[in-house]
Amino acid sequence: MANVTVIGAQWGDEGKGKIVDWLASRADAVVRFQGGHNAGHTLVVGENVYKLSLLPSGIVTGTLSIIGNGVVLDPWHLKDEIARLEGQGVIITPDNFAIADNCPLILPLHRDLDGLRETAAGAGKIGTTGRGIGPAYEDKVGRRAIRVCDLAHLDHLEPQLDRLCAHHDALRAGFGQPPVDREALLATLREIAPFVLQYAQPVWKRLKKVRKAGARVLFEGAQGVLLDVDHGTYPFVTSSNTVSGTAASGSGLGPSATGFVLGIVKAYTTRVGSGPFPTELDDDTGQRLGERGHEFGTVTGRKRRCGWFDAVLVRQSCAISGVTGIALTKLDVLDGFETVKICTGYRLKGRIMDYFPSHAADQAAVEPIYEELPGWSETTAGARSWADLPANAIKYISRVQELIETPVALVSTSPEREDTILVRDPFED
């Protein structure tokens, strides 16, 4: 039986939460391997709605849930999120939840810097969530991060604080801000340390033991491939690698452990924040997609931009991330459209292109080439088998998988866990 790695194959917000929750009920461990609390999942289980942004989705089902070393961790947000879920009856203990002890921390100074930069950037802003994710990753790469394991050695933190504050004090001065209050920072770390350390451990050892026992591991990605810092729409990207290969480096297991790569793909396209979006619709159709799809960010609440399905982008994402099969979500949002469109290529300065270019100017200039398909008036909401789907909906799915050169493994037809058509079981592949 295979392990499964779940990633978003668009710009995030593809409905990963429902799919990961559905898979987590059949997994023995769920691992977050990159990103931070800028990534949101909404899980609908019966009458209960759970909103997660840092905790792995498996925590709701009681599955062993792990935050890997590739994540940047805001310990204060973690404490609040755990308290909120416990208030909903979710049990979270060191038996079912663990944090990599080499995981970097997001500090108040990271949030400060994030906000200062975005404000100063004006029209050139990236559109970050302002939660300190990018600055925390910068400090990790700059070898000045404070990590979870440092919370157990706060009396020996001075050399690391010297490096950290030398960097941030210079940046803060450039924005007209006072230096970092080192004593206040240390005081907040001392206060939060016992809470975080109860969950801290070398998770690579725990995962090695889980895997040796033949258990099934689900690797849970955040954001989407088009936000990858290398392969996304740079500079309008996140600060980590969101592709499937990061599951290995961000968890402490080798690449052979990642197994079946399931790319989550919305039946249309959405994006939050700034950046190019070839199929964006600034008309009644775009408004209709947004309203029917309830397109607001789980974390930020920001309205998502909406457009037709872009097969060029998804085909590129699947190739870059080695996607084995896709889970197509929110098919029901397309119910009732007389016709639906799929982007099959681009025009750029009179040239036809079958891929998305790397340069921001070219990305902003491409014009989508559309293929139009007949829509369907019947509902797909709640369908659990191919027999429940209208013929034109099946034709649409078939055309999507043909254009992206990747088979459909699952189709999601509502936020409910059981409203899922299983074509190919990732865990049994």
Side-chain angles (χ1 to χ4, degrees):
M1 294 182 287
N3 295 334
V4 177
T5 298
V6 174
I7 59 163
Q10 293 161 307
W11 278 295
D13 305 309
E14 301 95 349
K16 291 186 291 296
K18 179 251 177 95
I19 301 299
V20 170
D21 173 58
W22 186 83
L23 290 168
S25 64
R26 303 165 62 235
D28 301 293
V30 181
V31 185
R32 271 286 307 273
F33 58 85
Q34 50 77 219
H37 63 304
N38 55 341
H41 292 329
T42 300
L43 309 183
V44 179
V45 184
E47 298 296 317
N48 298 311
V49 177
Y50 304 95
K51 292 185 180 295
L52 310 177
S53 56
L54 183 58
L55 291 167
S57 299
I59 201 71
V60 172
T61 60
T63 306
L64 172 61
S65 297
I66 291 174
I67 291 180
N69 57 276
V71 174
V72 284
L73 178 83
D74 184 322
W76 299 277
H77 176 89
L78 174 68
K79 187 175 183 179
D80 290 343
E81 189 170 326
I82 286 178
R84 177 164 44 81
L85 285 177
E86 287 180 334
Q88 292 184 270
V90 178
I91 297 172
I92 302 172
T93 72
D95 291 329
N96 68 352
F97 176 58
I99 303 169
D101 58 1
N102 54 343
C103 187
L105 298 179
I106 299 175
L107 306 173
L109 54 83
H110 294 130
R111 295 194 296 270
D112 292 346
L113 181 58
D114 213 350
L116 290 167
R117 282 174 169 170
E118 281 291 271
T119 301
K125 65 182 180 180
I126 300 298
T128 76
T129 60
R131 298 189 170 213
I133 310 296
Y137 272 117
E138 290 176 35
D139 283 347
K140 174 185 177 179
V141 176
R143 295 166 292 183
R144 54 184 170 264
I146 295 174
R147 303 187 299 171
V148 169
C149 56
D150 292 319
L151 295 175
H153 301 274
L154 291 176
D155 291 336
H156 305 283
L157 199 61
E158 289 300 321
Q160 198 70 358
L161 276 177
D162 288 341
R163 288 175 53 79
L164 183 70
C165 291
H167 177 77
H168 280 269
D169 286 349
L171 292 173
R172 292 169 69 92
F175 289 109
Q177 298 297 308
V180 174
D181 187 334
R182 291 172 62 139
E183 292 306 314
L185 177 58
L186 269 173
T188 58
L189 290 174
R190 289 188 194 282
E191 183 181 8
I192 199 70
F195 177 81
V196 177
L197 289 173
Q198 66 179 315
Y199 304 112
Q201 59 183 269
V203 298
W204 65 269
K205 285 191 67 177
R206 192 161 184 180
L207 285 170
K208 180 182 178 183
K209 184 178 180 181
V210 165
R211 194 180 178 211
K212 191 174 181 180
R216 298 194 279 199
V217 179
L218 178 63
F219 297 93
E220 178 183 356
Q223 291 99 22
V225 174
L226 298 176
L227 292 174
D228 185 276
V229 69
D230 287 315
H231 300 288
T233 49
Y234 193 90
F236 303 99
V237 293
T238 194
S239 299
S240 61
N241 286 110
T242 60
V243 293
S244 61
T246 313
S249 60
S251 66
L253 287 176
S256 62
T258 53
F260 188 107
V261 179
L262 183 67
I264 314 301
V265 177
K266 199 175 285 185
Y268 49 103
T269 310
T270 63
R271 176 165 201 171
V272 172
S274 306
F277 185 170
T279 65
E280 183 173 11
L281 298 170
D282 293 316
D283 57 13
D284 291 342
T285 299
Q287 181 75 12
R288 182 179 176 187
L289 287 171
E291 290 174 354
R292 295 200 60 184
H294 306 290
E295 296 297 352
F296 295 91
T298 300
V299 169
T300 63
R302 288 185 291 181
K303 183 179 179 181
R304 298 179 186 131
R305 301 152 62 190
C306 299
W308 292 119
F309 186 84
D310 192 327
V312 183
L313 286 176
V314 175
R315 180 172 63 241
Q316 192 161 321
S317 292
C318 289
I320 289 167
S321 216
V323 172
T324 314
I326 69 163
L328 191 68
T329 67
K330 290 199 167 185
L331 180 66
D332 54 302
V333 174
L334 297 181
D335 292 353
F337 280 94
E338 185 174 337
T339 59
V340 289
K341 294 181 180 180
I342 299 176
C343 174
T344 60
Y346 304 126
R347 287 190 184 88
L348 177 62
K349 300 173 183 176
R351 185 161 55 100
I352 304 298
M353 301 186 68
D354 63 355
Y355 69 96
F356 200 51
S358 296
H359 197 277
D362 291 338
Q363 292 176 350
V366 297
E367 299 176 6
I369 299 170
Y370 286 116
E371 179 178 311
E372 194 167 294
L373 287 79
W376 53 91
S377 57
E378 310 94 321
T379 183
T380 63
R384 299 184 181 182
S385 71
W386 286 117
D388 297 331
L389 294 177
N392 283 347
I394 295 174
K395 290 178 182 177
Y396 179 80
I397 296 170
S398 298
R399 186 57 177 149
V400 163
Q401 64 181 354
E402 180 181 0
L403 287 168
I404 66 173
E405 300 173 2
T406 308
V408 171
L410 302 166
V411 179
S412 171
T413 56
S414 94
E416 295 290 339
R417 181 189 289 173
E418 299 306 320
D419 290 342
T420 304
I421 300 171
L422 179 63
V423 181
R424 182 179 177 187
D425 190 333
F427 275 127
E428 301 295 336
D429 189 77

